Amino acid sequence: MNKSSADLIEVFSSIQGEGLLVGLRQVFIRFSGCNLTCSYCDTEPDRTQYCQLESTPGRRDFFQVENPVPVDRLVNLVSGWQRGWPGIHHSISITGGEPLLCHQLLQELLPALRHYLPIYLETNGILHGQLAQLLDHVDYVSMDIKLPSTSGYTDLWQAHEEFLRLAASKKTYVKTVIGTDTEDWEIIRTAELVAAIDSRIPLILQPFTDLKGRVNLSAIRMLEMQETANRYLQEVRIIPQTHKFIGQL
Ligand code: SF4
């Protein structure tokens, strides 16, 4: 990928299925590649030869373009949708994979896109050095805290903390995927980490949701985890991946 073009998986219009902006309509720009390999990941890990571009927002009339996709093409697509369908999108989700791996490209792309809509960055919350270079061009940050029981990673706490210290200057919330093996100490450590920066930052407990929208974790266990986190934080919500219920991407 050169500085003015991006390796993408897809660009489309849909509802945000997770977190605080759940249900709002967004333009999704999904970057390929990630610096992690979480156990529950359902994203294609490798670069794909083609990117799927939606022609009409929300109609799934995709066509293929070869990667990498030029920045100009993305900006023209978003500006065209804004002209043709004014007001339907709340913001642009920059997602992945891990989009911060493309931080140099994002320095060029985000200011151009932000001319049309606010920028919502979805990230695994590790690459704080790269975030620092982009914060001025971002409106919302959705960052993960990866739990050992669901992601398989045990040593990301320090990186998450440094990331959240930076992201806290924006409209930021923390999302963590919980599962049947998640233990109380993981919820406590997550809540303590967030509270040490700002106890008003929302924490979303996201029960692992399979591709058909099924959640295995019991309601009682979810409520127990919420009670545990609420001892440290003002706003703890339980939100599954809702877009899977209606068969959306
Ligand atoms: S951070 Fe996200 S995209 Fe990367 S491996 Fe984990 S779940 Fe997949």
Side-chain angles (χ1 to χ4, degrees), residues 1 6-9 29-38 40-47 93-106 110 120-132 134 138 140-146 153 156 159-160 163 175:
M1 186 186 75
D7 283 334
L8 302 176
I9 301 171
I29 299 179
R30 187 181 301 283
F31 286 76
S32 59
C34 189
N35 53 329
L36 299 180
T37 53
C38 303
Y40 54 78
C41 185
D42 57 11
T43 302
E44 174 64 44
D46 298 322
R47 176 185 182 276
S93 174
I94 304 295
T95 187
E98 175 47 58
L100 288 177
L101 289 174
C102 302
H103 61 100
Q104 285 183 307
L105 170 94
L106 292 177
L110 296 190
Y120 176 90
L121 175 67
E122 296 194 77
T123 167
N124 58 31
I126 303 291
L127 302 173
H128 40 86
Q130 289 83 340
L131 176 70
L134 294 169
V138 170
Y140 301 87
V141 179
S142 163
M143 70 163 279
D144 294 343
I145 287 185
K146 301 291 187 188
Y153 286 94
L156 298 176
H160 284 318
F163 194 98
K175 180 191 79 189

Side-chain angles (χ1 to χ4, degrees), residues 23-213:
L24 289 174
R25 187 80 169 264
Q26 293 184 316
V27 179
F28 288 79
I29 299 179
R30 187 181 301 283
F31 286 76
S32 59
C34 189
N35 53 329
L36 299 180
T37 53
C38 303
S39 327
Y40 54 78
C41 185
D42 57 11
T43 302
E44 174 64 44
D46 298 322
R47 176 185 182 276
T48 51
Q49 187 179 355
Y50 295 100
C51 166
Q52 309 287 332
L53 287 182
E54 196 174 41
S55 184
T56 315
R59 295 301 178 268
R60 302 301 176 258
D61 49 356
F62 288 101
F63 61 99
Q64 289 188 330
V65 296
E66 195 149 5
N67 275 315
V69 181
V71 161
D72 290 352
R73 181 144 200 185
L74 292 172
V75 175
N76 288 340
L77 182 141
V78 170
S79 70
W81 282 2
Q82 279 296 89
R83 277 196 308 277
W85 294 267
I88 70 168
H89 293 111
H90 171 271
S91 46
I92 300 171
S93 174
I94 304 295
T95 187
E98 175 47 58
L100 288 177
L101 289 174
C102 302
H103 61 100
Q104 285 183 307
L105 170 94
L106 292 177
Q107 284 180 8
E108 181 182 350
L109 178 62
L110 296 190
L113 293 178
R114 203 170 179 226
H115 180 70
Y116 299 101
L117 286 166
I119 301 296
Y120 176 90
L121 175 67
E122 296 194 77
T123 167
N124 58 31
I126 303 291
L127 302 173
H128 40 86
Q130 289 83 340
L131 176 70
Q133 299 170 39
L134 294 169
L135 261 186
D136 287 347
H137 310 307
V138 170
D139 298 280
Y140 301 87
V141 179
S142 163
M143 70 163 279
D144 294 343
I145 287 185
K146 301 291 187 188
L147 301 187
S149 58
T150 49
S151 73
Y153 286 94
T154 59
D155 56 352
L156 298 176
W157 302 101
Q158 181 69 30
H160 284 318
E161 186 178 340
E162 290 182 37
F163 194 98
L164 183 55
R165 280 194 193 286
L166 284 172
S169 64
K170 296 291 170 175
K171 293 173 194 158
T172 291
Y173 75 86
V174 172
K175 180 191 79 189
T176 195
V177 175
I178 54 176
T180 50
D181 293 334
T182 299
E183 298 182 8
D184 286 347
W185 72 267
E186 297 175 274
I187 302 299
I188 292 169
R189 185 154 184 184
T190 299
E192 284 180 334
L193 187 159
V194 177
I197 295 167
D198 189 340
S199 64
R200 296 167 301 177
I201 295 172
L203 172 66
I204 311 295
L205 300 176
Q206 180 176 288
F208 174 77
T209 315
D210 73 16
L211 289 173
K212 293 187 174 162

Side-chain angles (χ1 to χ4, degrees), residues 16-23 120 173-178 202-209 213 215 217 222-223 226 235-245:
Q16 174 56 249
E18 305 177 358
L20 282 192
L21 300 192
V22 66
Y120 176 90
Y173 75 86
V174 172
K175 180 191 79 189
T176 195
V177 175
I178 54 176
L203 172 66
I204 311 295
L205 300 176
Q206 180 176 288
F208 174 77
T209 315
V215 172
L217 196 59
M222 282 187 245
L223 294 174
Q226 185 182 43
E235 187 175 337
V236 182
R237 302 188 192 203
I238 300 169
I239 307 178
Q241 287 183 304
T242 62
H243 51 293
K244 291 178 177 173
F245 300 157

